[in-house]
Amino acid sequence: MPGPELTVATNLDRAIDDYLTYLHVERGVSEATIRAYRGDLTDFAMSRGAAARWATGPETAQRYLAARAKRGRPHDPGLAPTSLRRRAAAIRGFYRFAYGEGVIVVDVAAHLELPRQPRLLPETLTIDVVERLLDAAGGGPAVGESGPGASAGDVVTGGATAVSDGEAALAREATGVRNRALLELLYAAGLRVSEALGLDMGDVSLDAGWVRVIGKGDRERVVPMGDIAVQWLSRYCSWPRAGWLASAGLADGATVPLFVTARGARLGRQQAWAAVKAAAARAGLGGRVSPHTLRHSFATHLLEGGADLRVVQELLGHASISTTQLYTHLTGERIREVYARAHPRA
């Protein structure tokens, strides 16, 4: 008669499903985290020997994590330290659940250590460079146009080709206005790009100058935004957003996405990344600039301006202040740089 180890060895996929259901129903973990954990655990389940030996002891999980830690091998680059830590956390949490539920008889989780959390200082931009990036996002009047409300026929005449060129220029301006509004909001409120793209009109008060955000762990926060961001969002909502929605036959309302495409669909993550990358290229910045760079710059500039660390934690939506404290190290580096340049005996 097969022993308990052999019996549970065939149930890895079912155990993973049970664990993810537990996280969703009993722990209230967000859908985004569930998707990430499902991907991590599915990769583990598909690794060599996992289906047959996952419940017999810690060796299977340890070998898997060791293999994923090896970077630079042909066709198997391994995981970055932060990704490896998350995957190890997903696997250890799964094993802790399986042992607690009596699914396995060995406390595998007790033998799995999380890789040390790398303390990488985030990439940030100076205030002047942020302004260059925002200016490069677009939104200025196109050549020959009288303003953002003008149509191609109003500003260009002389045949179908000329009208077509005018329409193309107007479309570029419209996209630039939207992209500028998005980047202004990312920097003004320190939002994650997923938070900004998930906003509906009902989440934004242009009159009061605040935005309501659902962040990681489904935690809600209300973040103020400055006058410049409000001005760009107001301009974008008046034109081209209103026209895009009307062309798509959509009525505006509280549940309609804030950032949309020319067809009225919610703007996607890849499109937002492309907008930032294109602006960085036009501004002559390096390829490492991303939407998150604006969030990092937001936090750094607040702290450099004298903001309280707890306030910055609240604005960023960090669950732990230790995450926010990374920015204090960064501002310390800048203080030393300024000191080295300015002090006569540095």
Side-chain angles (χ1 to χ4, degrees):
M1 182 175 179
E5 293 86 353
L6 184 58
T7 301
V8 297
T10 60
N11 296 329
L12 177 54
D13 290 339
R14 188 171 68 190
I16 289 175
D17 286 340
D18 290 344
Y19 173 57
L20 296 175
T21 300
Y22 157 77
L23 289 179
H24 176 66
V25 175
E26 298 190 32
R27 296 284 302 278
V29 174
S30 69
E31 290 291 341
T33 302
I34 295 292
R35 286 195 298 270
Y37 273 34
R38 183 179 294 280
D40 293 338
L41 294 171
T42 298
D43 188 71
F44 169 61
M46 294 176 64
S47 64
R48 181 179 300 178
R53 296 189 296 273
W54 71 278
T56 60
E59 294 79 11
T60 301
Q62 289 171 342
R63 281 196 299 269
Y64 167 80
L65 292 172
R68 287 293 180 266
K70 296 179 180 178
R71 308 192 72 189
R73 296 183 301 170
H75 311 298
D76 188 7
L79 295 173
T82 52
S83 299
L84 181 65
R85 181 179 174 84
R86 190 198 68 196
R87 187 155 299 185
I91 292 172
R92 190 167 74 168
F94 163 69
Y95 271 111
R96 185 178 293 115
F97 167 81
Y99 181 69
E101 294 292 306
V103 178
I104 59 176
V105 296
V106 180
D107 186 6
V108 174
H111 299 276
L112 299 179
E113 295 184 0
L114 292 182
R116 180 174 295 179
Q117 177 72 45
R119 297 186 64 84
L120 301 176
L121 293 181
E123 295 282 342
T124 64
L125 306 174
T126 64
I127 295 175
D128 290 343
V129 173
V130 168
E131 291 178 352
R132 278 171 47 199
L133 177 66
L134 296 175
D135 288 340
V143 176
E145 290 182 356
S146 58
S151 68
D154 292 331
V155 295
V156 181
T157 59
T161 301
V163 172
S164 177
D165 290 344
E167 290 174 344
L170 195 62
R172 287 193 298 271
E173 184 191 353
T175 301
V177 170
R178 182 201 62 202
N179 292 348
R180 177 67 179 268
L182 172 62
L183 268 63
E184 289 282 357
L185 178 61
L186 291 174
Y187 178 61
L191 304 187
R192 302 175 178 93
V193 66
S194 59
E195 294 172 342
L197 298 180
L199 292 173
D200 295 333
M201 278 305 298
D203 298 320
V204 181
S205 174
L206 296 177
D207 292 333
W210 55 257
V211 57
R212 183 175 62 246
V213 183
I214 305 298
K216 287 186 176 180
D218 290 331
R219 290 187 294 271
E220 180 179 312
R221 68 187 192 277
V222 175
V223 185
M225 51 183 174
D227 291 341
I228 296 177
V230 170
Q231 291 168 10
W232 276 101
L233 283 170
S234 298
R235 176 181 173 185
Y236 156 68
C237 288
S238 298
W239 183 89
R241 181 179 177 274
W244 286 344
L245 293 177
S247 297
L250 301 173
D252 203 356
T255 60
V256 176
L258 173 61
F259 291 107
V260 297
T261 68
R263 297 187 176 185
R266 188 182 295 274
L267 191 68
R269 186 183 181 90
Q270 291 301 320
Q271 293 162 305
W273 272 71
V276 174
K277 291 293 187 182
R282 287 192 292 269
L285 306 179
R288 300 186 68 177
V289 176
S290 72
H292 225 60
T293 307
L294 289 168
R295 175 174 163 87
H296 294 324
S297 301
F298 162 86
T300 302
H301 297 163
L302 281 176
L303 289 170
E304 289 178 340
D308 182 82
L309 188 64
R310 288 287 183 184
V311 173
V312 177
Q313 177 193 3
E314 182 68 22
L315 293 173
L316 291 172
H318 285 160
S320 170
I321 199 169
S322 62
T323 306
T324 317
Q325 283 173 332
L326 282 175
Y327 296 102
T328 63
H329 297 298
L330 190 64
T331 55
E333 289 292 332
R334 291 197 172 175
I335 289 172
R336 282 189 286 273
E337 289 176 6
V338 172
Y339 175 84
R341 289 196 307 268
H343 197 283
R345 299 180 71 86

